[in-house]
């Protein structure tokens, strides 16, 4: 076989493998890795709530879709199947955090033993402000017990 | 403080004369699943952060959630859903305000399941439409749960699908909704 044809075929083969791999990766890109993402903001539950109640649109621009780390006092905890929701600071004017099932499984004992009045730090994705739930964080991971 | 008054307004909206013995019901961890399938493409996502307040006395019901709380299996689809279709930065919320029109058929004091008809205003993507859909209310051991399943048309809510994707994405997205309510305790 011609030497150049051989090199050409090898290059084509590499191109197909790399290109195919890239397409495969993009279509199967795993969900956002909140656990290993550096938080864009680290703050208290009160500060986060106040920012949203003062100017919801501005707060949405600032925190929306960002990973943020929040500390606060637990005022409510609901466990349903493997789904734990923790409300920080105030039941109506607070931060409603949906704990990621991976973090729950990893820290099951801690979350099961968590009581109202306990302090906690969580990291999660800020989805915005809801009229019933307050500020909503999903895919939350435990930072500090 | 502004929001506290909003909550009170909301509670008030859900029931003016609460003379019955059945307390108002609330959930902050309701579930909405969306599903759409074409031979080319499947859209599947779950939102486990759906809030609802139900007044069993009047049948008034409010449902609200944030669009960004929908979790997809594929990150790319989630990104497209938020940025290109729902425009969740501009329209972060989805809200339903309405009532169970056959609320009198439900005996909230007895275990059992009743088919219901929900009627009200659904706001998605900044567009509000009057809807009338079927569902059911189940009472088991004093606990109230609600279920509903219906299709939402993307075009009706001004959600545009590019020509190239028209065959891959159906206009009708199937919604499956499930709430487990708890009595609303005033603190």
């Amino acid at each position: 076989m011609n030497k150049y044809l051989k090199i050409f075929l090898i290059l084509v083969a590499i191109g197909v493998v790399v290109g195919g791999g890239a397409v495969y990766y993009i279509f199967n890109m795993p969900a956002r890795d909140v656990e290993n993402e550096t938080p864009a903001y680290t703050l208290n539950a009160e500060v986060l709530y106040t920012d949203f109640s003062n100017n919801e649109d501005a707060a949405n621009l600032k925190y929306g879709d960002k990973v943020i780390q929040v500390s606060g006092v637990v005022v409510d905890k609901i466990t349903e199947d493997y789904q734990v929701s923790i409300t920080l600071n105030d039941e109506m004017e607070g931060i409603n955090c949906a704990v990621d099932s991976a973090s729950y499984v990893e820290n099951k004992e801690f979350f099961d033993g968590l009581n109202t009045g306990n302090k906690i730090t969580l990291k999660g994705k800020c989805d915005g402000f809801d009229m019933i739930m307050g500020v909503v964080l999903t895919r939350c991971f435990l930072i500090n017990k | 403080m502004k929001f506290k008054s909003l909550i009170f307004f909301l509670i008030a909206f859900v029931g003016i004369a609460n003379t019955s013995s059945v307390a108002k019901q609330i959930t902050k961890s309701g579930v909405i699943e969306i599903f759409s399938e074409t031979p080319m493409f499947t859209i599947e996502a779950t939102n486990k952060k759906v809030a609802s307040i139900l007044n069993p006395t009047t049948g008034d019901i409010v449902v609200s959630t944030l669009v960004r709380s929908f979790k997809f299996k594929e990150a790319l689809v989630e990104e497209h859903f938020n940025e290109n279709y729902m425009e969740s930065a501009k329209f972060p919320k989805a809200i339903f305000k309405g009532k169970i029109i056959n609320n009198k058929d439900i005996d909230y004091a007895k275990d059992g399941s009743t088919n219901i008809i929900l009627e009200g205003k659904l706001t998605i993507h900044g567009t509000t439409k009057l809807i009338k859909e079927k569902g059911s209310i189940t009472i088991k051991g004093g606990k109230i749960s609600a279920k509903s399943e219906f299709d939402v048309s993307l075009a009706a809510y001004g959600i545009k699908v590019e020509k190239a994707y028209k065959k891959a994405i159906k206009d009708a997205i199937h919604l499956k909704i499930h709430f487990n309510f708890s009595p609303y305790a005033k603190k």
Side-chain angles (χ1 to χ4, degrees):
Chain A
M1 208 193 285
N2 185 317
K3 195 171 87 183
Y4 293 107
L5 183 66
K6 217 171 174 179
I7 292 171
F8 174 75
L9 285 176
I10 288 170
L11 284 176
V12 166
I14 291 171
V16 166
V17 169
V18 170
V23 168
Y24 181 83
Y25 176 76
I26 287 170
F27 274 93
N28 291 280
M29 200 159 54
R32 189 167 169 183
D33 186 6
V34 172
E35 189 177 13
N36 294 310
E37 205 173 302
T38 311
Y41 298 94
T42 299
L43 70 182
N44 276 327
E46 295 101 315
V47 177
L48 182 61
Y49 190 87
T50 309
D51 277 2
F52 269 96
S53 68
N54 284 346
N55 189 337
E56 193 183 332
D57 290 342
N60 255 325
L61 273 178
K62 187 176 173 185
Y63 302 112
D65 209 32
K66 303 253 168 59
V67 170
I68 52 178
Q69 188 168 314
V70 185
S71 303
V73 176
V74 177
V75 291
D76 191 30
K77 182 186 84 172
I78 302 166
T79 312
E80 227 177 278
D81 301 325
Y82 267 74
Q83 187 63 22
V84 187
S85 274
I86 291 167
T87 311
L88 300 178
N89 242 30
D90 188 291
E91 237 179 284
M92 282 301 170
E93 300 187 331
I95 315 298
N96 199 314
C97 309
V99 176
D100 193 282
S101 52
S103 186
Y104 177 62
V105 169
E106 207 176 296
N107 306 284
K108 194 174 179 301
E109 222 169 283
F110 170 79
F111 281 117
D112 287 350
L114 192 69
N115 286 315
T116 53
N118 292 157
K119 273 196 175 162
I120 187 175
T121 302
L122 293 162
K123 178 170 89 172
K125 179 172 75 79
C126 184
D127 291 341
F129 185 89
D130 178 82
M131 57 183 173
I132 299 169
M133 295 179 282
V135 180
V136 174
L137 260 60
T138 52
R139 298 180 210 179
C140 292
F141 285 83
L142 180 66
I143 297 293
N144 213 326
K145 301 184 183 186
Chain B
M1 285 306 115
K2 190 171 74 174
F3 286 110
K4 198 161 236 168
S5 51
L6 185 72
I7 296 289
F8 286 140
F9 169 77
L10 209 72
I11 305 276
F13 167 84
V14 168
I16 295 142
N18 185 22
T19 47
S20 148
S21 58
V22 187
K24 264 167 248 160
Q25 303 285 317
I26 189 165
T27 179
K28 292 178 184 176
S29 48
V31 177
I32 297 179
E33 289 169 84
I34 57 174
F35 186 79
S36 158
E37 194 181 35
T38 60
M40 294 163 81
F41 205 55
T42 304
I43 297 170
E44 211 177 350
T46 309
N47 182 343
K48 293 180 176 174
K49 271 270 146 253
V50 185
S52 178
I53 298 174
L54 164 73
N55 183 345
T57 312
T58 59
D60 286 316
I61 183 163
V62 174
V63 178
S64 83
T65 193
L66 294 166
V67 175
R68 282 194 187 109
S69 298
F70 279 98
K71 190 180 179 182
F72 291 73
K73 273 194 195 113
E74 306 87 0
L76 192 74
V77 183
E78 186 169 304
E79 207 178 296
H80 277 254
F81 174 78
N82 279 297
E83 285 171 15
N84 304 354
Y85 299 106
M86 298 299 285
E87 299 177 82
S88 60
K90 209 162 135 196
F91 310 112
K93 298 166 197 208
I95 294 168
F96 173 78
K97 276 183 193 175
K99 70 190 306 161
I100 301 168
I101 55 175
N102 61 330
N103 190 54
K104 60 169 179 18
D105 297 344
I106 308 164
D107 185 352
Y108 287 97
K110 236 169 57 189
D111 277 12
S113 194
T114 312
N115 289 329
I116 56 165
I117 298 159
L118 286 158
E119 192 176 49
K121 286 174 177 168
L122 178 64
T123 306
I124 305 173
H125 192 247
T127 305
T128 303
K129 294 264 161 197
L130 196 69
I131 63 161
K132 195 172 178 181
E133 301 291 352
K134 287 176 184 152
S136 69
I137 290 271
T138 303
I139 293 113
K140 201 181 168 191
K143 293 218 159 125
I144 300 170
S145 62
K147 257 186 201 172
S148 184
E149 254 183 75
F150 56 91
D151 284 350
V152 163
S153 152
L154 296 178
Y157 292 88
I159 300 162
K160 288 190 189 88
V161 176
E162 304 92 315
K163 254 195 185 143
Y165 293 113
K166 280 260 159 82
K167 272 188 187 153
I169 300 168
K170 255 202 283 190
D171 179 62
I173 302 285
H174 191 68
L175 263 68
K176 238 180 173 173
I177 303 160
H178 187 222
F179 299 133
N180 287 323
F181 288 104
S182 308
Y184 177 77
K186 221 173 187 178
K187 284 191 179 159

